[in-house]
Amino acid sequence: MRMVKFLAFLAVLGMIFGFGPYPAAAKTTFITIGTGGVTGVYYPAGGAISRMINKKKDVYHIRATVESTAGSVFNINAVMSGDLEFGIAQSDRQYQAYNGLAEWKGKPQKNLRAVFALHPEAVTLVAAVDSGIKKFADLKGKKVNIGNPGSGQRQNSIDALTINGIDWKKDIKAEGLKAAEAPGMLQDGRIDAFFYTVGHPSGAIKEATAGTRKVMFIAIPNVDKLCKKFPYYAPAYVPVKFYPQALNKEDVPTFGVKATFVTRADMPDDIVYAITKEIFENLDAFKKLHPAFEVLTKKNMLEGLSAPIHPGALKYYKEAGLIK
Ligand code: GLU
């Protein structure tokens, strides 16, 4: 009887510590990805990354979940503080955080790490036609949502206004709404226009253009000047094909950035390696998960990264011959 008890005890120990016939159960690593509003593209993008990783839970032992957040600036800060493991952030925001600019003035985030780039995002200005806004200068005196603190777009809106001689504090009635709230507010007549830096197509812009209040996209003037001043911006277009109810007939000139996937320096290499490898080796399947991913290539997914690339991702890029 004593022997039986002893063997049972050994068996339990074996199960816990993984010896004898019981291999240790691989420890699952839980990761959360910070995204944006649910009607943006970051949220489904984070969902797409999670889905690809979770499908291989037996291989990687990673369990990924997605959190809807205030956007880029929030995500970078939450990744740096350890509240989130990964986040999606605009390439301009990645640059500013790493170099101690804008919201991070004097506080460079030297432990921020780039993993890869995702879809392009266009600074999208949507205005209600009955508000009398036909061109950018007409924003003066109007109620305009420039974006919530914590969002990527807030600084983009301010830069677009400033380069065009509009003081966002004096010349417009600036609102700080979340992007997910702006389309409804525009349709309800509570704001005249809103800025959103987002990939296309996005649910928010569909919602804004498909209501009874007619809307149009407004071109941003002086993009050349802006891109000269801030090298992390590039000329871009709002593709109107996705929004047939908007009054525009042609794609609308603006400027843009890239969505990027970021983490921090102390994230274990094997976790970052697994995620990078899984997305890159199954890029065709990944691209099918959102129409904004259509333009992704292994090459352009390495562009727009200004923080150092995380060693786990770098290991994969070297193995795959994408980086020497
Ligand atoms: N670019 C936005 C931001 O950084 C988010 C866009 C999205 O959620 O797709 O806040």
Side-chain angles (χ1 to χ4, degrees), residues 143-190:
K143 231 182 197 179
V144 183
N145 184 40
I146 62 167
N148 56 300
S151 71
Q153 56 267 7
R154 192 175 169 94
Q155 190 62 45
N156 306 146
S157 317
I158 292 171
D159 291 343
L161 290 161
T162 309
I163 205 92
N164 286 294
I166 298 177
D167 183 334
W168 69 276
K169 286 186 182 149
K170 286 198 221 123
D171 301 337
I172 60 168
K173 294 184 193 94
E175 298 285 336
L177 304 165
K178 287 189 170 185
E181 296 163 4
M185 296 286 269
L186 187 78
Q187 281 301 327
D188 288 350
R190 291 162 71 187

Side-chain angles (χ1 to χ4, degrees), residues 20-223:
Y22 310 103
K27 213 176 101 236
T28 301
T29 304
F30 291 87
I31 60 160
T32 304
I33 304 171
T35 61
V38 292
T39 50
V41 181
Y42 286 10
Y43 188 72
I49 295 171
S50 304
R51 207 182 316 162
M52 306 265 312
I53 297 306
N54 292 339
K55 259 207 308 215
K56 298 274 179 75
K57 64 175 186 304
D58 297 340
V59 182
Y60 300 132
H61 308 289
I62 300 172
R63 171 91 188 120
T65 49
V66 166
E67 200 174 294
S68 169
T69 72
S72 285
V73 174
F74 176 93
N75 293 342
I76 290 175
N77 291 337
V79 164
M80 296 316 297
S81 69
D83 289 339
L84 293 173
E85 283 68 44
F86 291 88
I88 307 182
Q90 290 176 201
S91 48
D92 52 328
R93 301 317 221 146
Q94 184 187 129
Y95 180 90
Q96 293 164 344
Y98 186 74
N99 293 294
L101 303 167
E103 277 89 338
W104 301 275
K105 203 167 172 98
K107 294 175 288 180
Q109 304 296 308
K110 288 296 172 199
N111 288 327
L112 182 64
R113 291 294 175 268
V115 184
F116 46 72
L118 289 163
H119 55 281
E121 301 187 84
V123 177
T124 306
L125 175 57
V126 185
V129 172
D130 63 16
S131 70
I133 302 170
K134 289 203 175 62
K135 54 181 190 319
F136 198 85
D138 300 332
L139 289 175
K140 281 191 193 142
K142 299 288 196 263
K143 231 182 197 179
V144 183
N145 184 40
I146 62 167
N148 56 300
S151 71
Q153 56 267 7
R154 192 175 169 94
Q155 190 62 45
N156 306 146
S157 317
I158 292 171
D159 291 343
L161 290 161
T162 309
I163 205 92
N164 286 294
I166 298 177
D167 183 334
W168 69 276
K169 286 186 182 149
K170 286 198 221 123
D171 301 337
I172 60 168
K173 294 184 193 94
E175 298 285 336
L177 304 165
K178 287 189 170 185
E181 296 163 4
M185 296 286 269
L186 187 78
Q187 281 301 327
D188 288 350
R190 291 162 71 187
I191 54 173
D192 300 309
F194 70 87
F195 285 92
Y196 192 13
T197 304
V198 70
H200 294 290
S202 90
I205 306 297
K206 281 188 183 168
E207 188 187 338
T209 53
T212 48
R213 197 176 186 201
K214 287 285 157 231
V215 305
M216 65 188 286
F217 299 110
I218 304 294
I220 316 275
N222 290 312
V223 164

Side-chain angles (χ1 to χ4, degrees), residues 220-300:
I220 316 275
N222 290 312
V223 164
D224 287 358
K225 211 165 131 190
L226 190 70
C227 296
K228 244 183 229 141
K229 188 164 178 202
F230 305 108
Y232 42 73
Y233 289 146
Y237 284 89
V238 177
V240 294
K241 67 173 180 195
F242 294 121
Y243 311 106
Q245 279 137 292
L247 294 194
N248 310 73
K249 295 276 170 284
E250 283 165 16
D251 289 353
V252 183
T254 179
F255 62 104
V257 293
K258 266 185 167 205
T260 67
F261 194 55
V262 300
T263 188
R264 59 179 178 274
D266 68 1
M267 196 52 57
D269 290 4
D270 56 339
I271 301 292
V272 184
Y273 175 82
I275 296 173
T276 308
K277 182 173 168 150
E278 186 57 27
I279 302 299
F280 274 70
E281 307 259 288
N282 301 289
L283 192 55
D284 286 336
F286 181 69
K287 283 166 70 168
K288 291 201 180 85
L289 297 178
H290 198 285
F293 294 165
E294 208 170 87
V295 295
L296 296 185
T297 64
K298 288 183 183 176
K299 191 166 165 269
N300 67 28

